[in-house]
Amino acid sequence: MAPSHDPLRFVTLDVFTRERFKGNPLAIVELPHENHLGQETKQLIAREFNFSETVFLHPPSSEGEDYNRKCDIFTTTEELPFAGHPTIGTIVSLCRDGDAASNTVQSITLQTKAGSIRASFDHHVGVAEAKVPHNVRIHRTPVPVASIIDAQPSLSRSAVGLGESCPLVSIVKGMTFMLVDVQEAANLAQLAVGGPRIDSKAVRWDDGWASFTAPYFYCILSEDEAATRVRIRSRMIEHIIGEDPATGSAASALAAYLALQRGRAGATYTFSIEQGVEMGRHSDIGVAVTLDDRGECIRSVSLSGSAVVVAQGTMCV
């Protein structure tokens, strides 16, 4: 079948890492000004790349707007309002031709379905940072631990010290995670990939908040005396995706939840999250959460990380 349009340029990156073949792979497809791609075609392209997410980057809306861009984020099965590693990877891709010796910090804005994301890229240290759009929701009904153990039998209460339930937390409407504290890194290593899915009846969102939902398993490795600098190891294992090497949206949800639990008025909590270790794709995710003056609401969530280009070329559609 002959292509119906001019070839589309694409680039792939490994995100939340400085080393190729680590981190989380991402494809970015550049859309032309005459964009004829519908949702169905974008979904087919995302399935073709078969990464956890693929970004479709729209061209600048006007001259001089190279760093104010709209982007659509697709998994292999659906479009998402927001996702972390596509955001960081897109920032790095747009800014990667800058002068690393200039010590400049370049500003950029991404327009996503979840809202406008103000971001920056520090050319000197090679780190992208994004102000995550957030509408944090801790759902009224937590997830019973028994349903998680049914899907992950290694997590017996006696072995792991789990309570009766785990919090269900959305970072934005459309992205929700069950936060499962497994206490120790050794317990993370015992988790199974490809097992049964968690019973959907165990997940009860607040009204109007039904969304993509996945378990995010974690343990706290260390924290300072003030509990404002925290190191975490995590895994995200989902029935359809399998295991995700780095999940920025889940890391943001976890960091937001833990910051609220600590609840110091006006405090900024910094989380360094390692993910993908067990699957050989070590990822380093940074999240900073600042609380309001009463310590009851979140003022800001910043997601940070690096990325490295792996491949680039064109594809026929």
Side-chain angles (χ1 to χ4, degrees), residues 92-203:
V92 173
S93 180
L94 285 171
C95 299
R96 70 185 189 276
D97 294 329
D99 183 3
S102 66
N103 295 327
T104 59
V105 176
Q106 190 167 348
S107 296
I108 188 169
T109 302
L110 297 180
Q111 308 294 343
T112 71
K113 295 293 192 301
S116 179
I117 298 176
R118 292 182 295 108
S120 63
F121 182 74
D122 188 324
H123 285 276
H124 183 59
V125 298
V127 173
E129 181 177 4
K131 297 294 184 183
V132 174
H134 59 276
N135 184 11
V136 176
R137 183 85 169 193
I138 301 174
H139 296 264
R140 289 188 295 271
T141 306
V143 179
V145 160
S147 64
I148 294 171
I149 292 175
D150 286 344
Q152 293 286 349
S154 69
L155 296 180
S156 67
R157 285 193 185 87
S158 58
V160 180
L162 293 171
E164 293 296 320
S165 62
C166 298
L168 184 66
V169 181
S170 300
I171 183 65
V172 295
K173 186 173 282 190
M175 295 298 291
T176 303
F177 299 93
M178 313 169 215
L179 304 180
V180 187
D181 183 357
V182 303
Q183 305 291 315
E184 297 179 2
N187 295 323
L188 285 173
Q190 301 302 314
L191 296 174
V193 180
R197 89 185 316 161
I198 295 171
D199 186 356
S200 60
K201 294 179 182 177
V203 179

Side-chain angles (χ1 to χ4, degrees), residues 30 34 77 85 132 173 191 201 224 235 259 267 296 304:
E30 297 183 22
E34 296 296 328
T77 59
H85 103 277
V132 174
K173 186 173 282 190
L191 296 174
K201 294 179 182 177
D224 65 5
R235 295 182 76 177
E296 297 175 356
S304 61

Side-chain angles (χ1 to χ4, degrees), residues 209-227:
W209 282 77
S211 72
F212 170 89
T213 303
Y216 197 54
F217 304 94
Y218 74 96
C219 67
I220 294 176
L221 300 176
S222 64
E223 51 189 313
D224 65 5
E225 279 190 25

